Amino acid sequence: EGGGDMAAGGAGDREGRCGPAAGGLALLGLVPGAPSCPHGPALLFVKTSQGKEEGRRFYACSACRDRKDCNFFQWEDEKVSKTRLAAREEYNRSHQPFFTHRQNAERYKNFVLLPLSKRRFCQECQQLLLPAEWEKHSDHQFLCDISTAQLKSPSRILYPLENKKTNAQYLFADRSCEFLLDLIIDLGFRRVLSVGTPRLHEIIQSKASQEEDFRVRSLLLDIDFRYSQFYAEDEFCHYNMFNHYFFGGEAARETCRKFLYQDNGERVIMVTDPPFGGLVEALASSFKKLMAMWKETEEGEEGGIQEMPTFWIFPYFFESRILEFFPSFSMMDYQVDYDNHALYKHGKTGRRQSPVRIFTNLTPSTIVLPVEEGYRFCTICQRYVTSGNKHCEICNSCTSKDGRQWKHCVLCKKCVKPSWFHCNNCNCCALQNHTCEKTDAGCFVCGKAGHKRSTCPSLSHA
């Protein structure tokens, strides 16, 4: 999960490929006929310089932000020779997993038939081994005597991929996982589309296999193909959430469609936990496509609901960006925790408080947060908030984003963090020891005042 199990997404650190870092990069998106790398169709970007016309457009990997992880690059107007195209196709083929999902599913069936003493997992290759394969891995480190319980919790066997720029694979803490599942059940959902949330998926799968009356089902969409060793083809799809790419082709896409079809009135919710370095616009585009897929299947059964119910788990400081693409969403105060992240853990003070929140298009008052963890219901805002999030009479809202009590600034006409003070030079609130900067700086793209790069009319026009 978290900061999800996916690559960090986008060409954020690609200055070396398109000249010095004299400007920014803007995402133009997924376009028909885009070239592909091992992670599926590439995204189109443009180099921007302040006050100047947009630069040359180029394609880069949708999933990897660091060229060391995927060095795909192509100018949009570049003529690529047949020889180079053939070499690229061969490279892409050679960088796909050794076994197909179907082969992995067959291998799993054989693996579970083995006695405990013959169940081995190669830690170096991150692979379940059958006895005939032991010799090939003889100089590798093994995990032995793999139990059924371990097989039901693959996220605890597999190494988390913690390269922040490529695979920010932070996994939900048990506290957050159990809370999310209880909330989903209380809200009446019986199907969970788990996009980059393997730990939530595995807890659902595990309960379904152990408890006869447990009715919730889950489908995991994730770029980490290692999970195909543990799940059948109707339980896992190899998927890139930055370009809405199903590696298994139409068959995998059909698996997803079939899962989203609400048989017997079973309601579906999408829960997604992307890597926090990912480009919000690329993620939003993919989520809208998944919502469109849901819309095709539900045929008005949800009583006019326009969007698939969703929990998008992301840091609170991305709120404005998420609302830009999904105006129907609102941010809940619940702090989501991770097992293997030093800072994103539950605590009562300072940086120990996780900045990760749930963004949802469900009615806020229906999202009941645990009172025993310090959440309370604000009758005016009609939502649960942290105990430190006091209602501001002037803003008429519980304004805190980080769990601390915020204070109202009359000059800024809004609430700000308690550590901020109003600066007359900057004409806004900031940290007391901040460096004052010019307030008349214009847009990074066109140089004009009144808007940011992300909403520049020049880019929209282009």
Side-chain angles (χ1 to χ4, degrees), residues 92-338:
N92 289 350
R93 263 195 306 273
S94 68
H95 280 71
Q96 294 310 312
F98 184 74
F99 293 112
T100 65
H101 192 172
R102 184 156 296 175
Q103 286 171 326
N104 272 340
E106 285 301 314
R107 287 167 56 80
Y108 183 83
K109 287 177 187 174
N110 293 328
F111 189 89
V112 294
L113 293 174
L114 295 169
L116 202 62
S117 61
K118 292 195 173 182
R119 290 186 187 178
R120 291 189 180 182
F121 176 79
C122 178
Q123 290 183 296
E124 194 165 319
C125 302
Q126 293 285 283
Q127 187 182 317
L128 294 173
L129 298 180
L130 298 173
E133 298 161 345
W134 290 0
E135 186 60 35
K136 285 182 189 174
H137 300 258
S138 58
D139 56 344
H140 295 175
Q141 289 286 315
F142 291 154
L143 279 179
C144 298
D145 303 333
I146 303 295
S147 67
T148 302
Q150 285 176 296
L151 291 172
K152 297 290 183 189
S153 303
S155 71
R156 298 177 193 276
I157 298 176
L158 300 168
Y159 283 137
L161 304 172
E162 292 184 345
N163 176 340
K164 289 186 180 65
K165 287 184 178 176
T166 306
N167 294 282
Q169 195 171 39
Y170 300 117
L171 301 161
F172 288 149
D174 289 341
R175 163 192 163 270
S176 290
C177 213
E178 293 284 357
F179 164 75
L180 282 168
L181 181 54
D182 289 344
L183 179 60
I184 287 163
I185 292 169
D186 290 345
L187 289 167
F189 295 104
R190 292 296 173 263
R191 298 198 187 192
V192 183
L193 186 66
S194 303
V195 185
T197 59
R199 190 154 280 180
L200 178 64
H201 175 73
E202 72 186 34
I203 194 175
I204 292 172
Q205 294 294 102
S206 182
K207 282 179 181 285
S209 67
Q210 293 169 22
E211 302 172 21
E212 205 172 304
D213 59 345
F214 188 79
R215 294 283 175 259
V216 182
R217 291 177 54 205
S218 173
L219 174 66
L220 176 62
L221 307 186
D222 205 293
I223 203 167
D224 189 346
F225 190 70
R226 297 177 301 171
Y227 284 103
S228 69
Q229 299 177 83
F230 303 89
Y231 298 121
E233 289 174 282
D234 62 350
E235 298 170 332
F236 168 78
C237 293
H238 191 200
Y239 175 78
N240 182 346
M241 70 169 88
F242 290 101
N243 57 5
H244 187 58
Y245 181 66
F246 287 87
F247 291 83
E250 192 52 43
R253 192 179 289 270
E254 188 54 38
T255 296
C256 186
R257 266 197 215 100
K258 192 174 176 183
F259 181 83
L260 291 174
Y261 180 73
Q262 295 174 57
D263 193 23
N264 299 324
E266 289 184 340
R267 297 174 66 217
V268 180
I269 185 168
M270 173 167 67
V271 182
T272 182
D273 185 28
F276 307 143
L279 294 167
V280 173
E281 48 266 72
L283 293 166
S285 174
S286 294
F287 299 158
K288 285 182 177 181
K289 286 170 183 169
L290 288 170
M291 287 176 170
M293 198 184 282
W294 168 85
K295 192 79 177 152
E296 287 169 19
T297 63
E298 62 96 19
E299 298 177 341
E301 289 178 27
E302 280 279 310
I305 292 177
Q306 296 301 305
E307 290 177 342
M308 172 164 54
T310 300
F311 287 160
W312 179 344
I313 294 157
F314 224 48
Y316 69 80
F317 37 82
F318 282 101
E319 182 181 22
S320 61
R321 293 291 286 144
I322 291 175
L323 299 187
E324 194 180 315
F325 295 100
F326 293 104
S328 63
F329 280 33
S330 52
M331 187 179 81
M332 302 296 98
D333 272 24
Y334 183 79
Q335 296 182 10
V336 181
D337 297 342
Y338 297 89

